[in-house]
Each structure stands twice: as C-alpha cells, then as structure tokens.
Amino acid sequence: MKKKAASEIMETPVSEMSDKDLEPSKLTSAVLDLERIEKNLYRSSEHWTEFQSKQLYGGLVVCQGMVAASKTVRPELHINSLHCYFVRRGNSEIPVVYQVENLRDGRSFSTRTVHAIQNGQSILIMIVSFHIKEDSPFNYQHTMPDVPPPEKLLSINDIIEKYLSGATENVKSKIREVEGSGIMLEYRHIDVEVLLRKQAKEPRRLLWVRVRGYLGGDENVHRCAAAFISDSFIAWTSYMPHRHIRLGQITSLDHSMWFHAPFRADEWMLYELDSPKTGASRGMSFGRLWTQDGTLVASISQECLMRPKL
C-alpha cells in the first residue's frame, strides 16, 4: 500500500488516521510526563521553551498542574473547570514540584488544589474540578464565528515568505518569538494584519490552533493540552488597542477554564479571543475554543498585568 505524503497526513483528522501514520506529539514527552515523587507529589525537571521568555510559560505550569491533579482521581472523571492564580514568577532553569491536595471526592465530582512550587514557594495556586459524564436535556450554545477553514489559510512560515521576504531577520525573529517554536503548536491566523501591522486594533482575534503530533485517547490529556494552548495570545489581545504605547511588562495574573464537551487538541480548533476592558494596569480577556464542526468545547478567562515602558 502506498504511504501517505506528509502534506496529506498533515490535513487528515487524527481520528481518521491509521496507527502507522501517527507520530507522538512532542507535548507528551516534553510537558505532560511528570515524575511521581510521593503520594500527591509530582515533579517536572525540564521545561520546554515554546515561547521565548525569561520566565516560565504560564500555560505550561497550568497544564502540568492539571496533569498532576488528574493522576489522583478515578479514571472515569474528567476535568470540567479550573481556576488559578500566578502568584510568583517561575524560573525556567529549576524544577517545579506539584503538590496536590484532595479537597473532596463525591459520586459525581472531585476537587483538587494544586500548588506549583519552586524554592519552597508557590508560583501558582490552582483549584481543579472533575466531573463524571452525565446526560442532560439542557443543551445550548452560541454559534461559531463564520471563518475560512485552516486548510485555506497560510502558515506562519508562509506568511513570512509572502509578506516579509525582504524584512530583516530581527523582524522575522520577533514574529516567531510571539508565535512560538512551531514544534509543539501550529497556528493559522484569520487576520494576517494582526501580525504584520503595529497600529492599534480592536481587541478581537481569531485563529486556528492544534497540537502537532498525536496525543492518544485520554480525554484529560487533551484538556491539559488545551490549557497549554489557551495561555498563548490571550494576554496580548488586551494590548491590541494600545499598540501606540510602548509595552514594558505584560504577564498573566490569573487564568480560568471551563470544559463543555469532548474534543481532540491534536485536531484543528478555532480560538476566538476578545478583551472587553483594560484599566488600572490590568487587561481582561475571554476566549472560546471551537471544533471544526462548530461545537463550543471550552471557555477561558484571564486577567493580565500591563505596564508601559518607562
């Protein structure tokens, strides 16, 4: 049988691919694989630097905290929500220890608290809720925005080649710095102007995103991967109306997610972002993740700290 071309594999939904076509995602080994130290105590010793920054990427810490919490509940329970605060800056050069506390185990719900710890101090505090699957007659959702499919949009490298072929390497590297390494995640931006222009814009952003490679069949793994995705671009959405002001600092203060339906993070999802308010050095942003069939699978909220360059 003729082997599929790489381009054909890339655009085939994971759920329709045979095992021989599936290559494990780098996210599994680089982010999701935690070492168990003791009961309810886990450690991550190496930190994948998806986005160029001197501090730990917040989405990585949230994602790993969810992994740690998931290891302490019954397998039939799935993460339905999380709420967390970033209380200290994380250091990308030292391990993170995840301490899980069992708050409650009920018939339908379980609740865990997670402390992400470096140098004996919490850098993140999170509460994670798990819910068993239940059928319900109550089902409603908004309609997904009408956008072009990801297959008809340019990749980041295509955008750079088409619009910035004559630009300096410094300009190109700055775009890649915001977009990430491209090894872990892949994007397709609906509005290319968001990347190419520095002018102030309405704080609304639409892009397709997926994890590169195969994540397996564990539903909680895909929800942890979505948390890794969710912290990208959301804070920057708050900055979009203020591009005329030189930015000195932008960092996440808190982060919440609600999961509504099963999905695969290694298949394309539309990430819809908007920021209704900035003020008092803080920016508020909301996000929604949609599958290609129009199902709303997750909602996100985040407040970030924004300060101008002095």
Side-chain angles (χ1 to χ4, degrees):
M1 183 180 291
K2 183 180 178 183
K3 187 174 177 63
K4 290 184 179 181
S7 58
E8 185 182 358
I9 291 173
M10 185 63 73
E11 301 307 339
T12 302
V14 170
S15 55
E16 299 176 10
M17 292 166 64
S18 64
D19 289 343
K20 67 177 181 294
D21 290 326
L22 301 174
E23 184 170 340
S25 171
K26 179 75 173 174
L27 190 75
T28 305
S29 59
V31 175
L32 302 177
D33 187 16
L34 299 183
E35 174 193 0
R36 184 180 184 274
I37 303 173
E38 183 56 85
K39 182 180 178 181
N40 293 344
L41 206 59
Y42 301 87
R43 178 168 54 202
S44 170
S45 298
E46 296 184 11
H47 311 303
W48 178 263
T49 308
E50 177 67 11
F51 302 92
Q52 293 181 26
S53 174
K54 295 178 181 177
Q55 65 188 67
L56 271 178
Y57 170 52
L60 180 144
V61 185
V62 175
C63 168
Q64 291 182 337
M66 293 166 68
V67 172
S70 298
K71 291 179 180 292
T72 70
V73 301
R74 306 191 312 269
E76 65 269 24
L77 290 165
H78 299 106
I79 301 163
N80 70 282
S81 67
L82 63 94
H83 306 273
C84 57
Y85 285 93
F86 299 97
V87 293
R88 288 182 179 85
R89 178 176 296 194
N91 185 336
S92 61
E93 296 181 354
I94 62 175
V96 179
V97 172
Y98 295 91
Q99 183 177 46
V100 183
E101 179 185 356
N102 184 340
L103 293 184
R104 178 180 182 270
D105 280 320
R107 285 186 296 179
S108 300
F109 287 89
S110 287
T111 311
R112 300 290 187 268
T113 299
V114 182
H115 285 254
I117 301 167
Q118 285 187 323
N119 291 326
Q121 295 183 315
S122 293
I123 61 171
L124 173 135
I125 301 170
M126 174 166 61
I127 295 180
V128 189
S129 175
F130 296 81
H131 185 204
I132 200 165
K133 287 186 178 178
E134 293 187 36
D135 292 326
S136 171
F138 307 112
N139 283 290
Y140 166 80
Q141 68 165 52
H142 285 333
T143 302
M144 186 175 89
D146 186 13
V147 298
E151 296 81 9
K152 299 215 169 160
L153 298 170
L154 298 175
S155 69
I156 299 307
N157 287 334
D158 290 337
I159 290 171
I160 291 174
E161 184 177 338
K162 180 174 180 179
Y163 295 101
L164 299 171
S165 58
T168 64
E169 284 304 316
N170 185 47
V171 170
K172 295 177 183 178
S173 66
K174 282 187 176 179
I175 290 180
R176 290 195 176 99
E177 179 179 337
V178 174
E179 293 297 311
S181 70
I183 296 172
M184 203 80 76
L185 307 177
E186 183 179 11
Y187 304 100
R188 294 285 190 275
H189 288 272
I190 309 298
D191 185 2
V192 177
E193 294 293 312
V194 171
L195 294 176
L196 302 179
R197 301 286 179 258
K198 292 185 178 180
Q199 289 86 352
K201 288 183 68 72
E202 180 185 357
R204 178 172 166 78
R205 189 187 298 245
L206 290 158
L207 62 148
W208 291 100
V209 60
R210 66 178 172 186
V211 172
R212 285 188 179 273
Y214 177 59
L215 283 176
D218 187 330
E219 196 168 314
N220 276 333
V221 167
H222 290 269
R223 298 186 182 202
C224 294
F228 185 87
I229 290 170
S230 69
D231 195 34
S232 59
F233 299 107
I234 190 166
W236 290 100
T237 304
S238 296
Y239 177 59
M240 288 172 66
H242 308 293
R243 286 180 168 177
H244 58 290
I245 301 173
R246 194 177 176 193
L247 189 63
Q249 181 183 13
I250 184 166
T251 187
S252 306
L253 294 172
D254 58 32
H255 196 85
S256 296
M257 291 188 75
W258 297 262
F259 297 97
H260 314 305
F263 61 94
R264 295 198 64 91
D266 50 11
E267 293 185 353
W268 287 114
M269 300 180 291
L270 180 68
Y271 197 7
E272 177 188 10
L273 292 158
D274 70 87
S275 174
K277 175 66 177 177
T278 59
S281 294
R282 302 192 307 273
M284 187 74 216
S285 295
F286 296 99
R288 296 187 182 101
L289 284 171
W290 308 80
T291 54
Q292 281 193 273
D293 65 2
T295 302
L296 178 62
V297 295
S299 299
I300 303 104
S301 70
Q302 185 183 101
E303 190 172 48
C304 69
L305 175 67
M306 292 194 304
R307 287 179 175 146
K309 187 82 170 178
L310 298 178

